[in-house]
Amino acid sequence: EDTQDHAAFVGARVDMLASALLDRAELLGHAHALTVEANLTERLSRRSAIDAVLSPLLQELVADRESETAALAMHVLAAQARFMQQARRMELPLGELPQELFDMAMAVFRGVAAEMLADTAAAEARLRAQFDPAARRVAKIARLVGAMQQRARRALEIDHAGVAIFVTALHMASGQPRHIAILSMSENQVARFALSLRAAGLEQAGVEEQFLFLHPEITLPDGFDTLRVDRAAAMLAAAQPWAVQ
């Protein structure tokens, strides 16, 4: 809209837009998961001295002999630093949203604009032109985990990989959405966390190591070592209460 007072124009509409966005449960769920991720990262940094940005694994990969892997690691390092800064400021950039949530935000934007009789087509076109799913932090971490190839199992060691890489590797290996993998790490989701680790291919000893680090008071049930990877994955899929993010 052609207006001389942009601050007044935005101020008159921002509350309506915020309210409309808050009505979208999928968007709130995504933001909640990222908050849990950031809080857990900070907690492990204080408790176990795992740097919130430069984990031991990421430090190794930054110095990797393969220049492509080292370059990917540097991109992840920069993206993770931005994420932690944004989390502390309680910011969630549009450019970091998954494609479907970005599209949802744009639809909400159009709806609010229509109610205000404002033409926002040009603004939406600019936002869409700037949006690059491949530039998202999560996409960069996924590419880095993929580049690790046989070493990717190291990404499933949270004390070595750090939360961001660990939860991305868990999401990729277990076949469940990343935000659910994050939420499974909470104290009231230990059964899902155990299934996730098994579905990702960890043997009982590996699962126990992750529980010892995150939930030392929890012991795995008898017979867990007999649970097949495919069976664990099927149980996760059957118990899936959230839409894919």
Side-chain angles (χ1 to χ4, degrees), residues 118-153:
D119 183 3
T120 56
E124 181 177 345
R126 285 195 299 273
L127 290 171
R128 288 192 176 279
Q130 295 166 2
F131 181 69
D132 179 7
R136 298 172 58 229
R137 177 185 66 111
V138 172
K140 292 175 180 178
I141 297 174
R143 287 198 297 275
L144 179 61
V145 172
M148 292 174 66
Q149 299 180 351
Q150 295 91 344
R151 297 177 294 169
R153 186 56 60 93

Side-chain angles (χ1 to χ4, degrees), residues 1 6 9-10 17 94 102 106 109-110 113 118-131:
E1 180 172 305
H6 292 281
F9 177 79
V10 171
L17 180 58
L94 276 175
F102 177 82
M106 290 298 96
F109 183 43
R110 285 196 304 274
D119 183 3
T120 56
E124 181 177 345
R126 285 195 299 273
L127 290 171
R128 288 192 176 279
Q130 295 166 2
F131 181 69

Side-chain angles (χ1 to χ4, degrees), residues 50 53-64 69 73 144-145 148 151-162 165-166 169:
I50 302 174
V53 175
L54 185 61
S55 68
L57 176 59
L58 189 55
Q59 189 169 5
E60 290 175 14
L61 295 174
V62 165
D64 198 88
T69 300
L144 179 61
V145 172
M148 292 174 66
R151 297 177 294 169
R153 186 56 60 93
R154 301 295 305 280
L156 288 171
E157 301 169 6
I158 190 170
D159 55 329
H160 186 62
I165 294 177
F166 171 83

Side-chain angles (χ1 to χ4, degrees), residues 187 190-191 194 208 211-212 214-221:
E187 293 181 357
V190 292
E208 288 175 342
F211 265 79
L212 185 62
L214 277 179
H215 305 295
E217 73 287 357
I218 301 295
T219 56
L220 296 176

Side-chain angles (χ1 to χ4, degrees), residues 5-155:
D5 191 346
H6 292 281
F9 177 79
V10 171
R13 293 158 175 80
V14 67
D15 287 343
M16 180 180 288
L17 180 58
S19 178
L21 290 171
L22 288 172
D23 281 340
R24 301 307 191 271
E26 300 96 325
L27 186 59
L28 282 181
H30 179 74
H32 173 66
L34 292 180
T35 301
V36 170
E37 177 184 350
N39 288 344
L40 180 58
T41 301
E42 294 278 23
R43 180 160 62 87
L44 294 184
S45 177
R46 293 190 300 269
R47 191 196 78 183
S48 305
I50 302 174
D51 193 285
V53 175
L54 185 61
S55 68
L57 176 59
L58 189 55
Q59 189 169 5
E60 290 175 14
L61 295 174
V62 165
D64 198 88
R65 289 177 295 178
E66 293 289 338
S67 59
E68 182 177 349
T69 300
L72 283 171
M74 285 298 297
H75 286 302
V76 169
L77 175 63
Q80 181 66 13
R82 285 193 298 271
F83 168 72
M84 293 307 299
Q85 292 169 355
Q86 290 159 353
R88 289 164 187 146
R89 296 193 296 260
M90 295 187 291
E91 296 175 352
L92 176 54
L94 276 175
E96 289 294 331
L97 291 176
Q99 179 73 61
E100 61 271 25
L101 293 186
F102 177 82
D103 291 338
M104 176 188 295
M106 290 298 96
V108 170
F109 183 43
R110 285 196 304 274
V112 170
E115 290 185 37
M116 289 288 191
L117 302 178
D119 183 3
T120 56
E124 181 177 345
R126 285 195 299 273
L127 290 171
R128 288 192 176 279
Q130 295 166 2
F131 181 69
D132 179 7
R136 298 172 58 229
R137 177 185 66 111
V138 172
K140 292 175 180 178
I141 297 174
R143 287 198 297 275
L144 179 61
V145 172
M148 292 174 66
Q149 299 180 351
Q150 295 91 344
R151 297 177 294 169
R153 186 56 60 93
R154 301 295 305 280

